[in-house]
């Protein structure tokens, strides 16, 4: 693995793009194979039925969520460990969300979610029925996508730029057009193995200043159903369907506001001095671990950097991981190296 050492974070040694090893089945292989053979046709039937015609029928939000929970239930994804910042476990299980809804994402709010597996999108859709978007490190605009497209993106190669002719829009514009919906953003722009938080896209900075941004961390046990390597369809299906059960560890942080839009910084010869210039240079020389992904994006002000840092630090804390300096471009290089013929 020495040839892949460049794809480890220099500060922490974390490798966020390596696939999580699967525990050998051993003598349990016949049982795991039996589960896989039995579940595969059921999962394909349910998933194809939903994405081909059920989602277009007038079955209501509850009907769609029931179908999505059925998709999750077939492979045994029914253990959900939910914790909300500032709320005790007992209060969550006793229906806390009905008494204190401000702790959970509500209409006209943003979910900044971790991105490790196709299950992320299905779970979020089953709970919140949100609008999904795709972010890119080269622009602050977002691309509205469907749930099925969000699933496929978990298996796709990392993209630093949006596809040609992609219908891009500002996050604030999208939310204004759908004020009764929640919007999901995957600010890391690509999937990881859940062991680190990548630099963020700047798309979160287009959120309205009055909208709440909820960092949401999703982690899995076993962790081998993550898809950091593109096109790992068969490996994902085997790891998903051959295990008796899976647990999702869901953590929701307190909301963050986009304060960069409420306190714009304007500089002129009358309002800046030499010390201000030195402070700005110090901020610009921060380590890559704290910088958002901005290959071709706009330069960041100090308040904009603070907003992204607050969300990223919350995701790292919720997932009990560290932030890393590797981004979408590094993952694209990793995928090229990983795809070459090699001896692992």
């Amino acid at each position: 693995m020495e040839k892949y050492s460049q794809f480890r974070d220099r500060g922490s040694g974390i490798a966020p793009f390596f696939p999580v090893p699967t525990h050998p089945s051993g003598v349990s292989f016949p049982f795991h194979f039996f589960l896989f053979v039995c579940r595969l046709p059921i999962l394909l039937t349910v998933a194809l039925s939903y994405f081909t015609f059920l989602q277009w029928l007038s079955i209501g939000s509850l009907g769609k969520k029931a179908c999505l929970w059925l998709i999750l239930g077939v492979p045994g994804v029914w253990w959900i460990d939910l914790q909300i910042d500032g709320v005790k476990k007992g209060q969550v299980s006793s229906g806390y969300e009905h008494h204190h809804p401000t702790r959970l994402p509500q209409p006209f709010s943003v979910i900044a979610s971790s991105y490790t597996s196709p299950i992320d999108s299905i779970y979020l859709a089953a709970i919140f029925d949100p609008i999904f978007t795709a972010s890119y490190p080269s622009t602050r605009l977002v691309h509205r996508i469907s749930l099925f497209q969000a699933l496929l993106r978990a298996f796709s190669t990392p993209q630093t730029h949006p596809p040609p002719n992609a219908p891009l829009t500002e996050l604030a514009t999208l939310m204004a057009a759908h004020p009764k919906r929640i919007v999901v953003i995957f600010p890391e722009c690509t999937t990881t193995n859940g062991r680190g938080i990548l630099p963020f896209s700047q798309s979160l900075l287009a959120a309205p200043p009055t909208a709440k941004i909820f960092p949401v961390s999703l982690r899995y046990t076993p962790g081998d159903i993550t898809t950091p390597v593109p096109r790992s369809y068969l490996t994902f299906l085997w790891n998903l369907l051959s295990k008796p059960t899976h647990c999702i560890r869901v953590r929701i942080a307190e909301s963050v506001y986009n304060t960069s839009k409420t306190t714009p910084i304007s500089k002129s010869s009358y309002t800046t001095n030499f010390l201000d210039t030195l402070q700005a240079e110090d901020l610009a020389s921060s380590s890559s671990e704290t910088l958002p992904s901005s290959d071709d994006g706009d330069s960041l002000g100090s308040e904009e950097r603070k907003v992204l840092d607050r969300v990223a630090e919350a995701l790292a804390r919720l997932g009990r991981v560290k932030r890393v300096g590797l981004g979408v471009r590094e993952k694209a290089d990793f995928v090229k190296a990983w795809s070459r013929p090699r001896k692992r």
Side-chain angles (χ1 to χ4, degrees):
M1 286 292 182
E2 293 183 2
K3 62 183 293 187
Y4 302 111
S5 59
Q6 60 180 313
F7 303 113
R8 292 183 178 273
D9 182 61
R10 293 182 179 179
S12 61
I14 295 173
F17 308 135
F18 287 15
V20 177
T22 301
H23 185 72
S25 298
V27 296
S28 301
F29 176 78
F31 174 65
H32 291 170
F33 183 76
F34 172 77
L35 288 177
F36 177 80
V37 171
C38 293
R39 287 171 167 176
L40 181 61
I42 301 175
L43 178 64
L44 293 179
T45 301
V46 174
L48 289 176
S49 299
Y50 177 77
F51 288 111
T52 54
F53 64 90
L54 284 179
Q55 67 172 335
W56 310 111
L57 299 180
S58 301
I59 58 177
S61 177
L62 290 178
K64 293 180 180 180
K65 289 183 178 182
C67 293
L68 293 173
W69 276 113
L70 182 59
I71 293 176
L72 291 174
V74 170
V77 185
W78 52 59
W79 296 105
I80 311 297
D81 177 15
L82 172 64
Q83 287 189 22
I84 305 171
D85 266 6
V87 181
K88 296 180 180 180
K89 277 189 175 182
Q91 292 177 317
V92 174
S93 60
S94 61
Y96 179 90
E97 61 273 15
H98 299 295
H99 302 288
H100 300 273
T102 56
R103 294 283 187 174
L104 291 173
Q106 297 292 319
F108 201 73
S109 63
V110 179
I111 292 177
S113 174
S114 59
Y115 201 18
T116 60
S117 171
I119 305 298
D120 297 343
S121 302
I122 299 179
Y123 175 79
L124 292 174
I127 296 295
F128 301 108
D129 188 25
I131 295 174
F132 290 96
T133 62
S135 298
Y136 304 91
S138 58
T139 177
R140 296 192 181 195
L141 303 179
V142 295
H143 177 198
R144 181 179 178 178
I145 57 178
S146 65
L147 170 59
F148 187 68
Q149 289 174 314
L151 295 178
L152 293 182
R153 280 183 61 84
F155 295 103
S156 65
T157 55
Q159 298 176 333
T160 57
H161 294 79
N165 303 320
L168 302 179
T169 182
E170 264 202 353
L171 180 58
T173 304
L174 180 62
M175 297 182 67
H178 304 276
K180 296 183 179 181
R181 300 287 299 277
I182 298 170
V183 177
V184 170
I185 284 184
F186 299 107
E188 296 173 280
C189 303
T190 187
T191 54
T192 69
N193 56 17
R195 296 177 177 175
I197 300 298
L198 306 186
F200 275 10
S201 163
Q202 300 180 23
S203 56
L204 277 175
L205 298 176
T210 57
K212 294 182 178 181
I213 303 174
F214 288 88
V216 176
S217 173
L218 302 172
R219 299 193 69 184
Y220 302 93
T221 304
D224 54 7
I225 58 173
T226 57
T227 55
V229 178
R231 298 181 294 274
S232 54
Y233 304 103
L234 296 179
T235 302
F236 170 76
L237 285 175
W238 169 257
N239 292 336
L240 179 67
L241 300 176
S242 63
K243 305 292 194 310
T245 60
H246 300 271
C247 177
I248 307 180
R249 181 175 173 269
V250 184
R251 299 293 183 267
I252 302 177
E254 293 185 0
S255 59
V256 176
Y257 288 94
N258 182 14
T259 55
S260 66
K261 282 199 170 185
T262 59
T263 56
I265 301 176
S266 60
K267 293 185 179 181
S268 67
S269 58
Y270 300 99
T271 57
T272 58
N273 54 30
F274 181 69
L275 293 177
D276 294 332
T277 305
L278 289 178
Q279 183 179 10
E281 291 178 354
D282 290 339
L283 287 171
S285 61
S286 300
S287 65
S288 61
E289 182 176 342
T290 61
L291 292 177
S293 181
S294 56
D295 294 338
D296 298 320
D298 301 329
S299 58
L300 289 177
S302 60
E303 192 62 34
E304 292 178 326
R305 195 182 310 277
K306 289 178 183 178
V307 172
L308 295 180
D309 281 345
R310 283 197 292 268
V311 179
E313 288 295 339
L315 276 182
R317 175 179 56 82
L318 295 176
R320 299 178 182 177
V321 295
K322 294 183 178 180
R323 299 170 63 185
V324 298
L326 304 174
V328 177
R329 181 171 295 178
E330 287 75 17
K331 182 177 176 179
D333 295 337
F334 168 79
V335 171
K336 293 178 182 178
W338 188 265
S339 302
R340 297 192 193 106
R342 73 236 179 240
K343 292 183 179 180
R344 298 181 187 171

